[in-house]
Amino acid sequence: MTKLLLSLHVLAAIVAVGPVTVAASMFPPAARRAHEDGTGAGTLRLLHRICRVYSGIGVAVPALGVATGAAMGVLGDAWLTTSIALTTAAAAVLVAFVLPRQDELLEELAERGGVERRNTARLAMFTGVFNLLWATVTVLMVVRPGSTTGA
Ligand code: HEM
């Protein structure tokens, strides 16, 4: 059962977090290009949709992670508590900053036919913070510092 939960947890991380990372990272440069040549709004909307839909699917990652941790009896371990905190922070950055700012840039593009460079730079910064947070969690998941099951 633990192996099944862990497999599903890792599968969910690959299927959900992967697309969000790629689409969110492509969004700021795509928004800048849309600014330059006046086209590309369709691409931007698609990238935003991928981020939104796969963020929803991504809820499965911590849910299955907690189920795996419970099955293994490691929920109280420091590496896991830290991972849960960092995952929560990553989700908060995504929901509170990345997705709304993508929305704002789409509106700005529709209303003004372009977006300001400092707005795409700010979005790129929040996207970078999101990527850094979940990448840190992935390292913690593999190394598991202080755990006897650690690599
Ligand atoms: C609430 C958040 C999370 C919890 C409670 C959690 C829990 C767990 C647990 C208990 C394991 C098994 C570790 C072991 O075999 O000893 C695991 C493995 C793993 N988790 Fe998570 N996880 C969370 C978030 C994430 C996130 C956000 C990612 C990546 C995006 C991730 C990626 C992985 C990977 C790749 C493994 C396999 C590591 C290995 O077996 O070497 N997890 N997780």
Side-chain angles (χ1 to χ4, degrees):
M1 188 59 185
T2 307
K3 283 194 164 54
L4 175 68
L5 285 171
L6 179 57
S7 304
L8 292 175
H9 171 61
V10 176
L11 199 65
I14 293 168
V15 171
V17 184
V20 175
T21 305
V22 175
S25 302
M26 286 174 77
F27 192 100
R32 271 198 296 277
R33 271 197 302 279
H35 175 51
E36 279 153 20
D37 62 14
T39 57
T43 307
L44 270 195
R45 270 198 297 275
L46 177 65
L47 290 174
H48 178 57
R49 195 171 144 70
I50 292 171
C51 290
R52 210 160 23 86
V53 170
Y54 282 84
S55 305
I57 299 172
V59 172
V61 177
L64 288 163
V66 169
T68 309
M72 294 173 71
V74 294
L75 272 188
D77 286 18
W79 68 271
L80 201 52
T81 313
T82 311
S83 303
I84 292 172
L86 291 175
T87 302
T88 309
V93 169
L94 188 66
V95 171
F97 296 103
V98 176
L99 295 178
R101 282 183 191 274
Q102 287 184 352
D103 260 329
E104 282 168 23
L105 284 183
L106 278 170
E107 274 172 32
E108 192 181 334
L109 186 65
E111 281 166 17
R112 303 181 37 214
V115 295
E116 279 193 41
R117 203 185 163 85
R118 67 192 158 104
N119 291 342
T120 60
R122 202 172 301 150
L123 174 61
M125 186 197 75
F126 285 121
T127 306
V129 170
F130 166 73
N131 287 338
L132 207 61
L133 283 168
W134 81 253
T136 308
V137 174
T138 307
V139 174
L140 273 178
M141 295 277 134
V142 175
V143 178
R144 283 162 274 166
S147 161
T148 48
T149 61

